[in-house]
Amino acid sequence: MTGHFELTAPPMLSRATVVRDELVRADAERLRAGWSEATLIRVDPRGRVAIQDGVLLRAKATELGPEPLAEAVLLGDDEGTDVWAVSVPWLPAPEGGRVETVELRTDGASLSATDAALLVTVTALLGWHAKAGFCSVCGAPTEPEVAGWARRCVRNGHEEYPRTDPAVICLVHDGGDQVLLGRQPSWPPGRFSVLAGFVESGESLEACVQREIGEEVGVAVTDIHYLGSQPWPFPRSIMLGFQATADPSDPVVPRDGEIAEAGWFSREQVRAALDSGDWTGDELPLRLPGSVSIARGMLEAWACSTPGTSGPRRVEGR
Ligand SMILES: [Zn+2]
């Protein structure tokens, strides 16, 4: 296979994992015992959290009360300390100061690996709770349990778990120096990215890649290979990154309503756009997604690979 490449770094929201322990979540005694030392992240209705000196501000969990609140969710264990999160109507300002905030979508790439991992889990989990208040079977209210990792119907006991919707995102190249990019109708002229779409019920990931690229730009792809993944809780996806090959002599037919325009771009154009920053470079014909997205990591990896080899080009001398 020609033009095959690998990601050169983990996607920004996949740099670290929160230590998850299903047994701890269900152990009320253990959770109470950890509460006095536990830390707490507050999240406002817009998904914003407070930071101080560039790191997530962690309050003491006991500020909420003497033991774990039903509405609090346990994110996991960070170096021996339980980290909880809770939704609040507004973020309290630190003593004598103004509250500085970040949110995942705009600031996730500037956070430390651990802070980004905590914030992506918070965003996904609290986003699910906000919409899972009623039983999908009978419509009765549900209540949180197991430290926020399930909800149970108060009437029939039906249990539901946090949902994640798979979506594929695929960098289509020609095996050489060209990449196929598309612009969504809501994006300004010049803003392009790799193509993506949701996995349908009963569909394999590979079939989804073929179908989505076919639907969006009318191009047939082959040589589909997995690259890596990143959670994308806006509202509740995981992006599954792929690469595939297509023939640039095939006509590109953007689908009405979904893709405003699409076409092949050269490696040089992509490198110039990446060098200019996130979604910036007004004078350039091409602007590419921000660092927080897996799309950018895929484009960066492709841009620094050499066609016909199976690995990133050596960038630094020995
Ligand atoms: Zn029910």
Side-chain angles (χ1 to χ4, degrees):
M1 110 202 75
T2 51
H4 183 74
F5 67 99
E6 301 288 345
L7 293 183
T8 51
M12 294 309 280
L13 304 184
S14 303
R15 286 174 288 164
T17 55
V18 176
V19 179
R20 296 153 185 263
D21 190 331
E22 201 176 15
L23 295 177
V24 167
R25 293 172 192 161
D27 185 343
E29 203 171 311
R30 157 66 187 79
L31 294 177
R32 272 197 298 275
W35 187 249
S36 61
E37 296 301 314
T39 59
L40 176 73
I41 295 170
R42 292 185 171 95
V43 188
D44 84 0
R46 289 170 56 184
R48 295 179 301 189
V49 296
I51 54 163
Q52 199 163 36
D53 302 324
V55 300
L56 292 195
L57 191 62
R58 298 195 199 172
K60 289 189 74 67
T62 48
E63 288 179 16
L64 285 183
E67 56 178 63
L69 278 195
E71 294 73 32
V73 299
L74 178 64
L75 301 180
D77 172 315
D78 181 25
E79 299 188 354
T81 303
D82 290 349
V83 184
W84 294 78
V86 69
S87 281
V88 292
W90 65 85
L91 299 170
E95 254 176 66
R98 238 182 83 237
V99 63
E100 252 188 283
T101 64
V102 288
E103 58 189 294
L104 187 63
R105 196 164 189 156
T106 46
D107 308 301
S110 64
L111 296 172
S112 73
T114 300
D115 278 357
L118 289 170
L119 190 51
V120 73
T121 302
V122 170
T123 306
L125 202 50
L126 294 181
W128 171 71
H129 280 285
K131 292 179 176 171
F134 296 93
C135 176
S136 64
V137 176
C138 76
T142 60
E143 286 180 343
E145 56 178 32
V146 287
W149 289 88
R151 296 186 71 94
R152 188 182 291 277
C153 173
V154 298
R155 184 189 293 160
N156 64 6
H158 175 68
E159 206 170 30
E160 294 193 9
Y161 304 97
R163 300 284 92 186
T164 299
D165 297 334
V168 300
I169 181 163
C170 184
L171 186 146
V172 179
H173 58 76
D174 67 345
D177 275 320
Q178 295 188 88
V179 63
L180 180 60
L181 302 175
R183 179 171 76 80
Q184 293 180 16
S186 60
W187 295 352
R191 181 184 286 195
F192 284 83
S193 188
V194 294
L195 301 168
F198 283 105
V199 180
E200 290 189 344
S201 297
E203 185 173 48
S204 74
L205 302 180
E206 292 80 359
C208 179
V209 168
Q210 278 183 319
R211 177 183 57 76
E212 280 289 345
I213 308 291
E215 283 177 2
E216 289 184 351
V217 295
V219 168
V221 296
T222 56
D223 227 10
I224 299 167
H225 289 274
Y226 179 66
L227 284 170
S229 70
Q230 125 159 325
W232 193 246
F234 311 110
R236 59 175 204 188
S237 299
I238 180 164
M239 304 305 295
L240 302 153
F242 285 85
Q243 61 186 303
T245 311
D247 182 348
S249 65
D250 281 353
V252 174
V253 185
R255 184 185 180 119
D256 260 2
E258 219 171 313
I259 299 291
E261 56 179 322
W264 292 91
F265 291 83
S266 73
R267 199 182 297 266
E268 286 314 308
Q269 285 175 302
V270 169
R271 281 183 188 158
L274 289 171
D275 286 346
S276 78
D278 294 6
W279 288 131
T280 54
D282 283 346
E283 71 290 356
L284 294 171
L286 177 62
R287 276 167 283 155
L288 295 171
S291 305
V292 74
S293 69
I294 190 174
R296 191 176 184 93
M298 292 162 65
L299 283 160
E300 280 173 348
W302 176 78
C304 74
S305 68
T306 306
T309 67
S310 59
R313 187 179 58 152
R314 181 184 291 259
V315 180
E316 292 167 318
R318 291 198 300 162

